[in-house]
Amino acid sequence: MQDPNEDTEWNEILRNFGILPPKEKPKDEIEEMVLCLQKEAEVKPYERMSLKELKEAEDDFDEADRKAVEMYRQQRLQEWKCLQRRQKYGELREISGDQYVKEVTNAPKDVWVIIHLYRSSIPMCLLVNEHLSQLARKFPEAKFVKAIVNSCIQDYDDTCLPTILVYKSGEIKGRFIGVAECGGIYLKVEELEWKLAEVGAIETDLEENPKKEIINMMTLSKQNTSARENTNTKSSDVLKPHIT
């Protein structure tokens, strides 16, 4: 039997007289792909709803949708919690000594608090404040605050500044007192991030201590210096006159 969809002159005549049905148009693969993507991209009704609306409409969904709704609700809940924390923290805030207990010691038990006691006349303190501001934006789940040292502790020795204290559940979990412990006058923000991560205050994506390379170079330099000193000592011994 002749194929009615075949492109022949006879079939075309039969189509013109209505004896054969119109030829089927081949489906456009690109058109099919577009339609498929559009279908996949369709927004489900629950994706437009708030958490409250999801709860109220729970009984209107079938079993398959309920599972999807529950997953979507958990996702929205996590996003909401993250947003709440970002709105609550996410910046280095200034506090006074009168606010210390409320803002630091009595902070929520699940929140890490990093407080910097500083004096604006000390350059290293200004550098630490700059780095903490960056880290506060990067780790909004932690609470970063700063306070002028005189408002918290009277007659605090300048040699102990900057002072960084790390609190959790009202207890000090870590402390960095003075320029050396805070990382030195050339402190980089990544080095401070690593220090806070070691205490447990933040979860860093750094894979290793950024100061490790510097430490290794210093160690190598000391070893080279020691080796040269040993060589010089041996050379001096050889050149010494032997008195008999």
Side-chain angles (χ1 to χ4, degrees), residues 111-127:
V111 174
W112 286 88
V113 183
I114 298 95
I115 180 166
H116 175 213
L117 301 179
Y118 76 100
R119 205 185 305 280
S120 57
S121 59
I122 298 178
M124 180 67 182
C125 289
L126 300 180
L127 177 64

Side-chain angles (χ1 to χ4, degrees), residues 43-73 76:
V43 178
K44 301 290 184 183
Y46 55 78
E47 292 180 355
R48 301 190 190 95
M49 296 182 179
S50 66
L51 291 172
K52 183 180 179 181
E53 290 170 336
L54 283 173
K55 183 67 177 177
E56 292 173 349
E58 194 171 27
D59 296 334
D60 298 336
F61 299 112
D62 58 29
E63 187 62 30
D65 272 344
R66 282 177 188 169
K67 292 181 180 178
V69 167
E70 182 57 30
M71 291 177 63
Y72 183 68
R73 178 189 291 148
R76 291 289 302 276

